[in-house]
Amino acid sequence: MKKFNLVSFSLLASIVFFSGYSQVPSLGTRGKYYTVEYSPSGKWGELQIPVTYTLWVPAGAKTIRGVIVHQHGAGILASEQGASAATDLHWQALAKKWDCALLGTSYHASTDATDKTPGGSELWFDPRHGSDQVFQNTLAKFAKQTNHPEMTKVPWVFWGHSGGGIWSDVMSCLHPERVAAIWLRSGSATSFLNRPAFPQPVISKAVYLIPIMGNAGIKEQGKGAYDGTLAKFHEYRAKGAPFGFAPDPRTGHECGDSRYLAIPFLDACMALRLPDKNSTNQTLKPININEGWFGSLKDGKAVPTKEFTGDPTDAVWLPNQKVARCWEEYIKTGEVSDDTPPSSPTNVLLSDKGEVGTQITWDAEADFESGIRSFIILRNGKELAQVAKTPYGEYGRPLFQSMSYGDTPRPDMPKSRMIYVDNSSINGLTQKYCVISVNGVGLKSEPSKIMKKK
């Protein structure tokens, strides 16, 4: 079998990719990683693009309630960046809250073509060419490997960028009964209306029950990614579907800070849709659109649906007041504010590294509203250092896990391990160390408990 090299990502200590599946080393106490690789088929109608799937399962989840799929876009670079999606601490926080698995994919396109030519991404982002079946087969493998047989039956939550949005859109039409909610960033099947070779999926009444948010950058207006997503919004709202649209005022095709609206939106939809915990009935709960909120794209204001006086077919559907307020802010500024500090780091440990110094390690949960920007190390009550003091933020808010073009941790940024070596303190086990989390907007947590000796 031909081997495919991925850009390595430092958050995982070591991963060996091979045909089949394996358990990947866990990171701290947060959960475990697993991988499955698929070799391309030479048969038409079967997937002709190789793909690596990485799954994260939160620690302590006795029963998996759903699978959150973070699906990258078309092209070679998007495939490489998609490899780190399951390691994202912020998306893991959403998955953990709902006892869901987080699935990141890396479809190894060999060209940047967006058609069905050899190595082109349409071979995977149109699931009717085999990626649907491979996706489901992979979930069955993960179900066996993780000892979570329910994974083959639980609902799916899709986040898709560009070609990943097309994949998510078509998958929702093929399996509407399985899809709890969708976030479409700059991509939908409607973006390809002008391509006769790309047949539009059949939309049943069940599809109009799925809560969806379309999201695209203002700078890409006039292109299929924006116009197609907006057209999808109008098409579905005309049918009374719970569909919203959130234009990003700062970006083009890149994802920017869209996650700060996407995560609360999907969180609210999961609260409304997921079957009850430990229930054997996996039927998704219906949306009562009259209990949500409607936003106006004309004035950027949102009100409860019963108070909306405009044309409801032009109204942006929003699941609750909290998301409505986030939407109002996002479409004006391109970001969402946060006034709550993060939780303190946990599982902090010291180890003596001899002449090298004292090693400090810890775990931390991502702040649900704004993620993690950096960490502050205290020694004997005084600030010693900052980990990721000047985090990189080319495509959005600076974060501890610097973001790529496609809303995944950048694989080439070695800033994801929660570790610091105090080389100014030999035999530092006699010192008192603490760690503080700093969230995405700069708010600080309370110091951690005094570290324990390893």
Side-chain angles (χ1 to χ4, degrees), residues 98 180 211 242 265-276 283-289 291-292 317-320:
W98 293 103
F265 173 80
L266 294 175
D267 175 49
C269 292
M270 292 163 75
L272 295 171
R273 295 272 282 161
L274 289 184
D276 293 335
T283 302
L284 290 161
K285 297 177 181 178
I287 292 288
N288 184 345
I289 204 164
E291 294 181 356
W317 177 81
L318 301 158
N320 58 30

Side-chain angles (χ1 to χ4, degrees), residues 247 249-250 299-301 326-335:
R250 296 191 322 198
D299 62 13
K301 302 294 184 181
C326 292
W327 176 85
E328 289 177 332
E329 183 177 5
Y330 177 81
I331 66 172
K332 292 178 182 178
T333 67
E335 59 183 0

Side-chain angles (χ1 to χ4, degrees), residues 225-449:
Y226 185 99
D227 295 355
T229 306
L230 181 59
K232 174 72 67 173
F233 159 72
H234 287 301
E235 175 188 354
Y236 277 46
R237 284 298 303 129
K239 298 292 186 178
F243 201 118
F245 186 71
D248 187 332
R250 296 191 322 198
T251 66
H253 200 59
E254 72 276 17
C255 294
D257 284 327
S258 57
R259 63 170 47 210
Y260 304 110
L261 180 59
I263 288 175
F265 173 80
L266 294 175
D267 175 49
C269 292
M270 292 163 75
L272 295 171
R273 295 272 282 161
L274 289 184
D276 293 335
K277 195 170 185 178
N278 300 322
S279 174
T280 57
N281 182 0
Q282 291 301 308
T283 302
L284 290 161
K285 297 177 181 178
I287 292 288
N288 184 345
I289 204 164
N290 293 323
E291 294 181 356
W293 284 56
F294 278 160
S296 170
L297 289 172
K298 294 180 180 179
D299 62 13
K301 302 294 184 181
V303 297
T305 55
K306 296 176 182 179
E307 299 176 17
F308 189 76
T309 58
D311 183 352
T313 63
D314 289 332
V316 171
W317 177 81
L318 301 158
N320 58 30
Q321 183 178 11
K322 178 180 177 180
V323 175
R325 297 299 176 236
C326 292
W327 176 85
E328 289 177 332
E329 183 177 5
Y330 177 81
I331 66 172
K332 292 178 182 178
T333 67
E335 59 183 0
V336 177
S337 58
D338 177 15
D339 59 4
T340 58
S343 59
S344 300
T346 59
N347 197 34
V348 287
L349 299 171
L350 300 181
S351 57
D352 184 4
K353 296 301 179 181
E355 294 182 357
V356 175
T358 303
Q359 178 177 285
I360 307 157
T361 62
W362 64 93
D363 287 333
E365 298 287 343
D367 183 87
F368 199 82
E369 289 74 23
S370 60
I372 298 174
R373 170 178 281 186
S374 61
F375 297 97
I376 298 173
I377 309 298
L378 300 181
R379 186 176 68 188
N380 299 326
K382 295 182 179 180
E383 183 172 327
L384 172 66
Q386 286 194 38
V387 178
K389 183 176 181 180
T390 55
Y392 192 67
E394 179 181 0
Y395 293 113
R397 189 177 283 165
L399 292 173
F400 174 66
Q401 291 180 299
S402 301
M403 288 297 102
S404 70
Y405 189 92
D407 189 66
T408 60
R410 287 185 53 159
D412 59 332
M413 299 297 290
K415 296 182 179 179
S416 296
R417 296 186 66 194
M418 296 179 191
I419 184 172
Y420 177 77
V421 177
D422 179 9
N423 52 27
S424 68
S425 178
I426 307 302
N427 192 23
L429 301 187
T430 61
Q431 310 293 329
K432 294 182 178 180
Y433 293 91
C434 294
V435 183
I436 293 173
S437 289
V438 182
N439 70 9
V441 299
L443 298 177
K444 299 176 182 179
S445 74
E446 292 294 322
S448 67
K449 294 181 180 180

